[in-house]
Amino acid sequence: MKKVIMSLLSLSLFAGIAVGCTSDQDKTTKKSKESKESTEVTSGASANGYTDLSELEDQYDIVIIGAGGAGMTAALQAKEAGMNPAILEKMPVAGGNTIKSSSGMNASETKYQKAEGITDSNDKFFEETLKGGKGTNDKELLRFFVDHSADAIDWLDTKGIELSNLTITGGMSEKRTHRPADGSAIGGYLVDGLVRNVKEEKIPLFVNANVTEITEKDGQVNGVKVKLNDKETKEIKSNAVIVTTGGFGANKEMLEKYDPKLKDYVTTNQEGTTGDGIKMIEKLGGATVDMKEIQIHPTVQQDKSFLIGEVVRGEGAILASQEGTRFVNEMDTRDKVSAAITELPEKSAYLVFDQGVRDRAKAIDFYDEQGFVVEGTTIEELAKKIDMPEAKLKETVEQWNKEVQAKSDTQFNRATGMDHDLSTGPFYAIKIAPGIHHTMGGVKINTKTEVLKENGAPIKGLYAAGEVTGGLHGANRIGGNAVADIIIFGRQSGTEAANFASAQK
């Protein structure tokens, strides 16, 4: 368990501190660091906003299972609606996979886009996401998603979580990936902000509280059973339950069951992402969808199973083979880029970029601290250090720079992430290969986030949001859409569960 805690703490520090926050963020995250370092496996209220398990009551209006971005968003929205929610998290710290998010949050027709003169539309966002998902996305969920994306950005603003810096991810034609003002990774900034708001709203957030069963009576969900500190089990009653437990990207058995080819892949998922919510909902008769759709992310550092964010490519990096040549449109969808890397003899490649990319993608500073980044004063020196043909890599970069200037990629038709060439030394490389990143499949929901049975009828009182659900992303998720998913549908689940719970009083 100590190993789990330290792993999660280091991720918290990466996402919220090590990637260059603004001065106000520095103060917040410094406090966060101090409190996280003092968090114990045992219960105990902390400066992080966690509530002592001794304060766990027998009944709440709404119980939320999982303290990632979707769960905390749902809780805040339910509280706004006048409910008394509680969050139960099985891990020793809040954040889930959200804390590992890097690139940003996609949204269209936002005030930040308009301020930069970016002409975007919800329809374009819809069509590009549908194309990225190979046309298999649940169109009703997707329509709701794009049409409520700008509102979600505005809602975060009201919580002091400003995502004003724009970049782009693979499969998108416009800069609609919103991130913190300084360009740092979104994960820790978002989690710190949500935890802060949960604490300010006095919403109880219990860690080391592992929900093992969702209970029901007469066909309606009426609470949960929760194991506290791996010891005693307690039954909590509630008028509604929201499941926000994430996917199953860290569950080897489930991954192999749905796609045996993934047996030897590393995973970027945090250790608690084991499909618990899906299993509990299936026991209640909940339907699942797209369970075989498991996303492989193309740029994962293999030794530490650490995702290298899409923002690095979005800000101008290229991918080079061991021979020193480009081999793919780096900004294509994740499935296509991953397949291209896997087809190389080494089944790995290098992200190659310059100081300009590093300045714009602040997460690289953390990657460097972890030992992932190789540096060379010149392209030739860099090539020598990573055992590439020096002349070939230099030729590749020079050709790329010409194509950036001409705004025309004659080799692979890349059209985005070409605002800057690679000409500002020093130069850098990170060795990467594909890894398991996101499970697109999960429980079936409607636009009210009600969990559905196989016959399409909702399970009364049961709601779900985030990666535990399936259908939105189709066969392939677009980078930046997962954070949007947890905020948009996290809010919706909080609102709808509050409406249902209120009617039960």
Side-chain angles (χ1 to χ4, degrees):
M1 183 61 80
K2 281 186 177 179
K3 180 181 177 184
V4 173
I5 295 172
M6 292 312 297
S7 172
L8 289 169
L9 293 183
S10 66
L11 289 170
S12 302
L13 299 182
F14 150 60
I17 297 170
V19 293
C21 299
T22 61
S23 57
D24 287 342
Q25 292 166 23
D26 283 339
K27 293 174 184 176
T28 301
T29 48
K30 182 178 180 182
K31 291 179 181 177
S32 178
K33 176 181 177 180
E34 290 169 353
S35 60
K36 282 171 183 169
E37 288 176 342
S38 65
T39 301
E40 301 293 338
V41 174
T42 56
S43 66
S46 74
N48 271 359
Y50 305 150
T51 312
D52 195 294
L53 287 174
S54 64
E55 297 179 26
L56 183 62
E57 297 177 6
D58 295 331
Q59 184 162 356
Y60 294 92
D61 293 333
I62 300 171
V63 166
I64 297 156
I65 312 171
M72 290 189 283
T73 298
L76 290 167
Q77 195 71 63
K79 185 75 171 185
E80 284 183 32
M83 292 294 103
N84 172 33
I87 309 170
L88 303 176
E89 168 59 50
K90 73 173 182 179
M91 300 301 284
V93 292
N97 262 357
T98 305
I99 208 161
K100 302 187 78 171
S101 301
S102 183
S103 295
M105 172 178 166
N106 288 345
S108 50
E109 299 185 17
T110 70
K111 61 186 177 186
Y112 296 120
Q113 287 180 310
K114 292 170 185 173
E116 291 192 19
I118 296 169
T119 303
D120 197 4
S121 73
N122 294 342
D123 288 345
K124 185 184 285 188
F125 188 12
F126 179 97
E127 291 301 331
E128 290 176 359
T129 301
L130 187 63
K131 181 180 178 182
K134 306 182 191 300
T136 64
N137 315 61
D138 182 315
K139 295 181 179 62
E140 289 186 13
L141 290 179
L142 181 55
R143 188 74 247 176
F144 185 94
F145 172 79
V146 299
D147 288 345
H148 290 81
S149 61
D151 286 344
I153 293 289
D154 292 341
W155 181 81
L156 286 172
D157 271 356
T158 68
K159 305 300 179 186
I161 303 170
E162 181 182 295
L163 303 178
S164 57
N165 186 310
L166 298 174
T167 189
I168 195 166
T169 59
M172 299 282 100
S173 67
E174 303 291 348
K175 285 188 174 182
R176 62 172 68 104
T177 307
H178 296 64
R179 54 186 179 165
D182 64 347
S184 61
I186 190 173
Y189 175 68
L190 179 59
V191 169
D192 281 350
L194 291 172
V195 169
R196 182 182 70 248
N197 278 275
V198 164
K199 182 180 179 182
E200 289 172 356
E201 294 295 331
K202 296 181 170 54
I203 298 170
L205 194 172
F206 301 96
V207 296
N208 301 304
N210 184 18
V211 174
T212 58
E213 183 182 342
I214 300 168
T215 59
E216 63 177 342
K217 183 179 181 181
D218 300 328
Q220 180 171 317
V221 164
N222 68 345
V224 300
K225 290 181 180 178
V226 57
K227 182 175 282 191
L228 310 176
N229 281 329
D230 289 326
K231 295 176 183 176
E232 65 169 314
T233 296
K234 184 172 182 176
E235 188 163 346
I236 310 297
K237 296 297 182 184
S238 66
N239 292 328
V241 171
I242 304 175
V243 183
T244 57
T245 51
F248 56 95
N251 186 323
K252 288 185 176 293
E253 290 182 3
M254 287 184 74
L255 290 167
E256 193 172 345
K257 171 185 175 182
Y258 292 110
D259 191 345
K261 299 191 300 295
L262 302 179
K263 181 179 180 181
D264 297 323
Y265 276 68
V266 301
T267 182
T268 66
N269 289 252
Q270 63 99 2
E271 293 160 90
T273 313
T274 52
D276 303 357
I278 296 172
K279 295 174 192 174
M280 287 189 286
I281 287 172
E282 283 183 314
K283 288 181 180 179
L284 295 174
T288 58
V289 60
D290 294 340
M291 291 297 285
K292 293 184 178 180
E293 303 295 352
I294 299 167
Q295 183 171 72
I296 306 303
H297 195 287
T299 56
V300 177
Q301 199 281 338
Q302 299 290 294
D303 294 337
K304 294 188 178 180
S305 306
F306 207 97
L307 183 141
I308 306 301
E310 206 152 340
V311 65
V312 180
R313 283 172 285 147
E315 292 298 336
I318 60 173
L319 282 167
S321 69
Q322 197 65 55
E323 294 180 352
T325 60
R326 289 180 66 221
F327 56 93
V328 70
N329 171 359
E330 294 88 350
M331 295 302 290
D332 211 332
T333 52
R334 290 173 171 180
D335 56 333
K336 293 179 181 178
V337 179
S338 294
I341 296 170
T342 302
E343 288 171 7
L344 294 171
E346 300 81 9
K347 301 187 184 301
S348 63
Y350 282 89
L351 278 164
V352 176
F353 52 97
D354 69 348
Q355 185 62 42
V357 172
R358 180 165 183 165
D359 290 342
R360 294 186 296 275
K362 298 296 185 181
I364 295 171
D365 292 342
F366 177 77
Y367 304 151
D368 195 5
E369 290 172 11
Q370 296 300 299
F372 303 159
V373 181
V374 179
E375 178 180 339
T377 304
T378 63
I379 291 290
E380 293 91 335
E381 181 182 332
L382 177 65
K384 188 174 182 180
K385 286 186 176 181
I386 57 178
D387 199 27
M388 271 186 199
E390 297 170 37
K392 180 57 70 174
L393 184 60
K394 183 178 181 182
E395 177 187 330
T396 295
V397 172
E398 288 177 348
Q399 177 63 29
W400 170 250
N401 288 344
K402 290 177 183 177
E403 302 202 337
V404 168
Q405 294 303 318
K407 299 297 179 188
S408 175
D409 177 11
T410 59
Q411 295 184 79
F412 302 103
N413 297 314
R414 175 171 167 175
T416 57
M418 296 180 69
D419 294 337
H420 308 274
D421 64 13
L422 302 177
S423 58
T424 305
F427 299 90
Y428 305 95
I430 301 175
K431 187 174 184 179
I432 53 82
I436 295 162
H437 182 49
H438 191 95
T439 49
M440 276 81 72
V443 299
K444 190 170 180 59
I445 61 168
N446 58 22
T447 56
K448 291 184 176 182
T449 69
E450 294 173 312
V451 175
L452 305 179
K453 301 176 184 178
E454 290 290 350
N455 64 5
I459 298 175
K460 291 183 180 180
L462 186 60
Y463 301 82
E467 197 177 349
V468 73
T469 67
L472 173 66
H473 304 296
N476 178 68
R477 182 177 66 82
I478 296 293
N481 276 0
V483 175
D485 178 13
I486 62 177
I487 303 301
I488 294 165
F489 286 106
R491 291 185 69 203
Q492 179 71 337
S493 68
T495 297
E496 294 296 331
N499 290 340
F500 183 87
S502 179
Q504 307 307 305
K505 289 188 173 183

